[in-house]
Amino acid sequence: MLKHTLKNFSSSFYSNNFGKRNFHINKYILDKTNVVTRFAPSPTGFMHLGALRTALFNFLIAKKYNGKFYLRIEDTDQKRLVKGSIDQIQKTIQWANLKTDKVKVDNNELDFVIQSERTPIYQHYVNILLEKGYAYKCYCTEERLDELRTLKGTGFKYDRQCLYLSDEEKAKLEESNTPYTIRMKIPDDKSAFTVFEDIVYGKIKVENKTLDDQVLLKSDGTPTYHLANVVDDHLMGVTHVIRGQEWIASTPKHCILYDMFGWERPNFVHLPLLCNEDGTKLSKRQGHASVDYYVELGYLPEALVNFVALLGWHPSDNQEIFTMQQLIDKFEASSINKGNCKVDLQKLEWINSQHIRMVIENDMERFIELLKPYLKDVNIPIDNYFRKVLFIGRERLKRVPDFVDFFDYFFFDVKLETDEAKELLQTIEKKIPDYITIVPMIRKELEAINESEWNEETIGKVISTFAQTNKSQVKAYGNIVSLLRYYLTGKKIGPGINQVIETLGRDVVLKRLTV
């Protein structure tokens, strides 16, 4: 069992004071030597984009202050478990470079904690609550509870029938081995309320009479989320609980549990909801809500992390492209927004393109490794020519798989029958009606360049001079560039035309301009 400290406080504290005071409100004070956060997902399927954000924000706060970042698997609801989810969670946070710290349990150091393996710990703590009168056994059947829910409808609260059982009634139920759950006893003084400070949403005050007597231990002896969450956060020394906005409603109950045990509350940081671009909630049932969706489409981990960091947070200087270290240095929980965040996939593409450019410029071999799975079915050798194409095309790539489709004309015959090529030709026909006579003319000018002088600078001068000399026919420099793009690439956009011509080489260019 984990080593722990439990303050011993008398039952008179509960009866005389528990329901009559505003409990201590933790302010946002970071002890830079003792910050502990945790990512505590349920293994119920793929990792949601919102879960990645939660993991990231926990990681950033911990690392900013040289603290600890733990992984805890919250699998108390065994009915919802999905096989392989724990491995998938680990794989995803590793892909995102969110390195977790070892968790010390007894004399062992674990990669992560699994709640279903800690049931005796939770039973120990719930027994303390029973002994102090802060919890009670509930013998009600599911059928009775369902009837109550139907009768009371929205806002259902347990009616505390079992709290008021006589000792004789309890004894009979025990003798007959009637199954029971254990519920926490919410302080019921009419003036009782619970207050806590959230770093994002500020001071939140809730009347205790609106809170249900939450089940802490199920009839099979396993804990509910609420008990296991609070106990583990305390035993693991968690200082900052960072989670989604949907958990705000449960936080008053958690605060009451902390106070019942006499434990210091952690700081609470609740994150705003993620929404689709139309404002609807980003649902787990939607394909683009999954981190795997972005991995499979070829987004870089640092780009998705960068994008997710900006979902609800933004630095004061409006910087948008970050390395992980820059995020650690600049991130502040107090700068998280309250409003819902729209997942703008176009922005993600732009962020990814910026990171692709940086990787190609700083670590090209790493990018080539990422490309290799997409090169398996095409005969493209990885040589110096390949590397040159990759470098000049770095600013055009939005995703890793784009390379083959975007730059196939560097390795294979140009495709002029595609829809894109046909649309480009239609534009050219409108701007240069007699374009077919221009092609041999520009070819002749390029042919005059010697192999030894075949470089961007010389090529650029030749094209510019040609456009000026034949202005009455080509109208504008951009039109001759479009014409060259059509015959040499079949694409509307790409690297600078001078770079394309130099890289393709003299023989290939002259051949493609032979019409």
Side-chain angles (χ1 to χ4, degrees), residues 46-53 88 92-93 95-96 287-297 299 304 308:
F46 65 76
M47 188 182 288
H48 189 278
L49 202 61
L52 178 62
R53 181 185 63 170
Q88 188 62 23
T92 302
I93 61 176
W95 175 84
H288 65 281
S290 164
V291 175
D292 287 348
Y293 171 83
Y294 300 97
V295 175
E296 292 168 5
L297 284 179
Y299 287 93
L304 191 61
V308 165

Side-chain angles (χ1 to χ4, degrees), residues 66-105:
N66 299 312
K68 300 293 185 181
F69 170 59
Y70 296 136
L71 173 63
R72 184 173 76 224
I73 303 300
E74 298 199 334
D75 59 344
T76 55
D77 189 349
Q78 293 285 307
K79 295 178 181 178
R80 297 178 60 231
L81 299 189
V82 175
K83 186 177 180 180
S85 291
I86 295 178
D87 289 341
Q88 188 62 23
I89 288 167
Q90 286 184 282
K91 180 180 176 182
T92 302
I93 61 176
Q94 288 169 0
W95 175 84
N97 296 312
L98 305 180
K99 181 175 175 56
T100 59
D101 293 292
K102 298 282 188 179
V103 186
K104 291 183 179 180
V105 178

Side-chain angles (χ1 to χ4, degrees), residues 134-396:
Y134 304 155
Y136 61 95
K137 294 180 179 180
C138 176
Y139 302 90
C140 291
T141 63
E142 281 298 323
E143 290 74 19
R144 179 177 187 274
L145 295 175
D146 287 340
E147 289 176 5
L148 283 175
R149 290 188 186 97
T150 302
L151 182 65
K152 296 188 177 183
T154 306
F156 162 77
K157 284 176 54 185
Y158 178 59
D159 62 2
R160 288 188 162 181
Q161 173 176 285
C162 292
L163 176 63
Y164 303 116
L165 292 174
S166 65
D167 291 342
E168 184 180 351
E169 289 173 315
K170 291 177 186 177
K172 287 181 179 179
L173 290 166
E174 291 289 334
E175 287 174 10
S176 61
N177 292 319
T178 303
Y180 60 85
T181 61
I182 296 178
R183 293 180 179 271
M184 66 185 294
K185 183 184 177 186
I186 297 291
D188 55 0
D189 186 282
K190 291 183 179 179
S191 64
F193 52 86
T194 299
V195 182
F196 67 95
E197 187 84 10
D198 185 88
I199 291 171
V200 176
Y201 292 92
K203 182 179 178 180
I204 297 175
K205 179 178 179 179
V206 178
E207 289 187 281
N208 288 353
K209 66 181 182 181
T210 66
L211 303 176
D212 189 25
D213 283 359
Q214 182 68 49
V215 172
L216 300 178
L217 208 68
K218 292 175 273 192
S219 59
D220 61 1
T222 60
T224 62
Y225 162 82
H226 304 278
L227 175 68
N229 181 276
V230 169
V231 169
D232 280 341
D233 279 345
H234 173 71
L235 295 181
M236 295 171 75
V238 172
T239 60
H240 290 74
V241 171
I242 306 166
R243 57 193 179 192
Q245 181 194 61
E246 63 271 20
W247 293 109
I248 288 179
S250 297
T251 304
K253 295 178 184 178
H254 298 174
C255 289
I256 290 171
L257 282 173
Y258 278 105
D259 296 332
M260 285 176 169
F261 285 120
W263 297 336
E264 183 178 359
R265 300 180 190 176
N267 293 280
F268 292 105
V269 185
H270 287 94
L271 309 179
L273 293 175
L274 297 187
C275 297
N276 296 302
E277 293 184 62
D278 63 1
T280 58
K281 184 180 178 181
L282 188 66
S283 169
K284 198 168 183 178
R285 291 185 292 273
Q286 296 167 311
H288 65 281
S290 164
V291 175
D292 287 348
Y293 171 83
Y294 300 97
V295 175
E296 292 168 5
L297 284 179
Y299 287 93
L300 298 180
E302 54 264 58
L304 191 61
V305 163
N306 187 158
F307 174 69
V308 165
L310 298 176
L311 295 176
W313 170 82
H314 212 286
S316 58
D317 61 3
N318 293 321
Q319 179 180 345
E320 292 195 297
I321 302 302
F322 296 88
T323 63
M324 183 67 87
Q325 188 58 52
Q326 287 172 331
L327 284 173
I328 291 171
D329 293 340
K330 289 201 170 187
F331 186 80
E332 290 288 352
S334 57
S335 298
I336 297 172
N337 302 321
K338 296 179 183 179
N340 295 346
C341 313
K342 290 186 179 181
V343 177
D344 183 345
L345 299 182
Q346 287 188 331
K347 185 170 184 178
L348 171 59
E349 278 203 342
W350 175 75
I351 290 174
N352 198 58
S353 71
Q354 301 305 300
H355 280 278
I356 284 177
R357 178 181 58 78
M358 290 190 293
V359 172
I360 292 173
E361 289 175 353
N362 300 315
D363 191 1
M364 184 179 287
E365 296 309 310
R366 178 197 162 204
F367 192 82
I368 290 173
E369 287 300 313
L370 295 173
L371 261 179
K372 282 183 178 179
Y374 304 100
L375 299 175
K376 287 190 301 184
D377 298 328
V378 293
N379 188 24
I380 298 178
I382 298 174
D383 52 18
N384 289 336
Y385 177 74
F386 174 90
R387 289 177 173 83
K388 183 174 182 178
V389 172
L390 184 56
F391 187 79
I392 68 169
R394 67 194 184 283
E395 294 185 359
R396 296 295 177 181

